[in-house]
Amino acid sequence: MDFKLGEREELLRKSTREFAESEITPRIEAMEKTGEFPMDLLKPMAKLGITGLIAPPEYEGLGLGYLARTIVLEELSRVCAAIPMGMQVHHMAIAALNDFGTEAQKKKYIPPLSRGETMGCVAVTEPSGGSDVLGMQSSAELKGDKYILNGRKCWITNSHTSDYWIVIARTGEGPKGLSAFIVDKDAPGAKPGREEHKFGLRGANTGELVMDNCEIPKDNLLGQEGGGLGVALKTVSESGRTGMAAVALGILQACYEEAAKYASERVLYGKPIAALQAISFYVAEIYTQLDICRLLCYRASWMKDQNMRFDTESAIAKSYTCEAAAQCAKKAIEIYGANGITLEYKVQRLLRDAMVTISAGGTGEIGKVVVGRAALAPFQKKG
Amino acid sequence: MGEPQIWVFIEQRRNVVHDVGLELLGKARELANTGGARVAALLLGDGVLPLADTLISFGADIVLVADHPALEPYRLLPYTQVLAEACRTRQPDIMLFGATSLGVELAPRLAARLKTGLSAHCIDLQLDADGHLLQMVPGWGGGVVATIKTPEHRPQMATVMPGVMQKPQPAPRSGQVIPLTPSEDLDLSGPRVLEVHREEPQELPLETAEVVVAGGFGVGSPEGWKLLEELARLLGGAVGATRPPVDEGWASEEQMIGQSGKTVRPRLYIGVGISGMSHHVVGMDEAEFVVAINTDPKAAIFEVADLAIVGDQREIIPLLLDELRGRVKVS
Amino acid sequence: MERVIVCVKPVPDPKVWDRLRMDPVTKTLIREGIPSVINPLDRHALEAALAIKDVSGAEVVLLSMAPRDARPVLREALAMGADRAVLLSDKAFAGSDTLATALILTEAIRRIGPFDLICCGNYTLDGSTAQVPSQIAEFLGIPNIMHVAHMELEQDKRMVVTQKIEQGYVKLAAEPPLLLSFTKKANKPRFLSFLEILAAEKREISTWTNTDLNLDESRIGLGGSPTKMADMLLREKGRQGLRLEGSPEEIAHQLANKIRQLGFI
């Protein structure tokens, strides 16, 4: 097994890190205050290649794989997790279009997303539940050459900043009764609803989408009628989970750096506290979790790049990394002592950001449902 | 040509001699006295002849003057040409330049034209038993000094940062003033000066301050930096910096102390949040009394400190300011 | 403009400088485990060249005299947008002082071919002499300007160059061929776009040895260097090295006392 990353990955990492440190750091204070996504960063991110990272070159993307994407999202997140949160959902929209779209749809919708002219979002969750996908109530009815959509989606990342929404709605009964649609935000009857004020990932825009007799062209059906569950599952389990895991991984990296740095600087009893075994053990624990999660995230992404089936591995990576990030952020705050609970230090933001990742893009429990199924499958008794 | 000659390039702008030329005349005089050599000052410009007497009083036995309208302001190619010809005709043994922005551009070009050796940022110059120039330059990590020699090529050239050598006291002396007349037309090719803009220096010059409060990356923030500025003000001193504070924008490039910055020799140096890497230390380790504050007990700065404080400057400096304010004598 | 050559040097990453150690026996730097980066000022030189390429389509060629393990650093510089790189690597070059180094680089430049501009960083972080660019220009017989804080390209290849001097600046008018040494103030180096990172994988890094340059061995390496290292000594210290301990209040109190004792208050 070759665990070494190539020159390409190292350069992607280096470039993203420099960009994040230089261009994103100054924006954090405003994002924390207002919760708004800095839209003017879209252009420089597009110029770097972040917005169109996984889109195929024929749709003005870079055609890079998921390992590259994970590294880029991780480096962005190391500085500020809210930005790659928005970007990873944007990639999900691109992935859904690329996997299920017709040539005409791909040509129309992917290039503006690649170029960062607009953002994309994927809308599955409703007030009736996110984990309970089949319980959704949003409906879509074919009337002539239009679909009429009715319903509300909530907890949608990029709800208010996206021009294109990938919406799942009911066209029939049962699991084969869901369909996916491309909704332009300017479509009649479509509009964003309330905005959520989260305590973490502030700057990642989260809110509601409202469809009130929303009319979209018939041609905006994405994939087959009745194939919506497949669109949702593939998008969430592939680009969604690996994206969320990468965001949490970057937070974990920041936890490690903050903890190690502080432990090496803070002097008590005439020495840096890193000299105390207990503190060094905490740092060791964070470092170990970081190493574990990096291996999980990179492995899942690598498998996608090899065209292997990887939904169990992506579920493990997502649920484990988000939980680990929160635990390590808590530890890092404790290493900071009293300073850890002040807003002056960055480390409190890491805990708030990590907590929000735990239930975003699939709860930890759903992750375990997926993994449990796979773990038990070989032992199932027939009949 | 008889005795060996030690030449010093005298930088002047608008007929004001840069102190570094006088510092180097002092050093050249010292070297000449031990080795039995003569010291010559090289003066180029327009209407600079009146400066010659000053240079003699600072130690020059000879002043070689090239006085020509085309030599003001300084331009690299004509200056290189005049100096190269003077070197070829008179064959000096040693030639010294201040490592100013001008010197650092001119000296290497001249060395290449003469195909001789040049060492940069020397912190000391000596003569060995054979009369060769020993050029001491700071070496890499860990506080070493490398001794460079130019055994075969002449002149032996070296640049020295301003402030490293002591400016001598002028004394009544006699000397010769010899005009340099170039044998061919001046090379006036190359970039043309459109404008020369000089700003007034703002604060107390670092190089002559009695107290220097220097900050490094450990100062942590612009607010922390302001406290250092206050400490310097209280003590009647100047503020210096290592490279990271300059990069962060807390201090200006002119405040940087070190191998590629300024050399300071204050009576009191207080280093705050400075790790003490050799390329900074080389710019301050001639200070009389060194106090260092750093959270890392293994910081290299403690090797050159008289008073070593392992602690967090964020806590200590405000408390120190309080203590000192209570004690400032009202004058 | 048609061709701009940029001299690039890999140096130890300044972020890990305090890990650098000297081998007490050989008196050379222990470089193992220390990552190399593009000399920071060279990035500003490269950015200036790329800005010219953006408007004129000029070819940007990187030139570096370094060991073979410099390839990743050159790849990174190519990923900034340069077109190709020439790496000069030969045991015979080792030990060269600035004069010999300038000679080697000059010969390589002659073999690269005609150029309009040569861009260098004002000094390198490791050697710090700032001598090589002036010496290359001298050998090539072209003018050079150091301490460049700003460069503006006007029509007909004319340039207005702002040179930073102590407490001020000088504005100069110049034409190619010319060599410029850049400071940090000159520009903001661009980020490596992912597109360029991918494109750079196909760009050429040619490695040349002295067989390609055909320089007389007496003019390069240790033998070709007029300056020779005679000795390396540890600096004499002689400091009191007293430790002040206690709480921040106690420390501040004792330090204030000492300052008063020295007569500064």
Side-chain angles (χ1 to χ4, degrees), chain B residues 2-16:
Chain B
E3 303 148 303
Q5 291 177 62
I6 303 178
W7 284 15
V8 175
F9 173 76
I10 302 298
E11 176 174 339
Q12 60 77 23
R13 284 201 204 253
R14 293 210 200 101
N15 293 13
V16 176

Side-chain angles (χ1 to χ4, degrees), chain A residues 8 14-15 18 23 48, chain C residues 43 76 188 192 194 201:
Chain A
R8 176 189 294 189
K14 199 164 186 195
S15 176
E18 279 171 13
E23 308 301 301
L48 205 66
Chain C
R43 299 179 87 201
E76 191 185 329
K188 186 170 177 215
L192 277 52
F194 301 166
E201 289 170 6

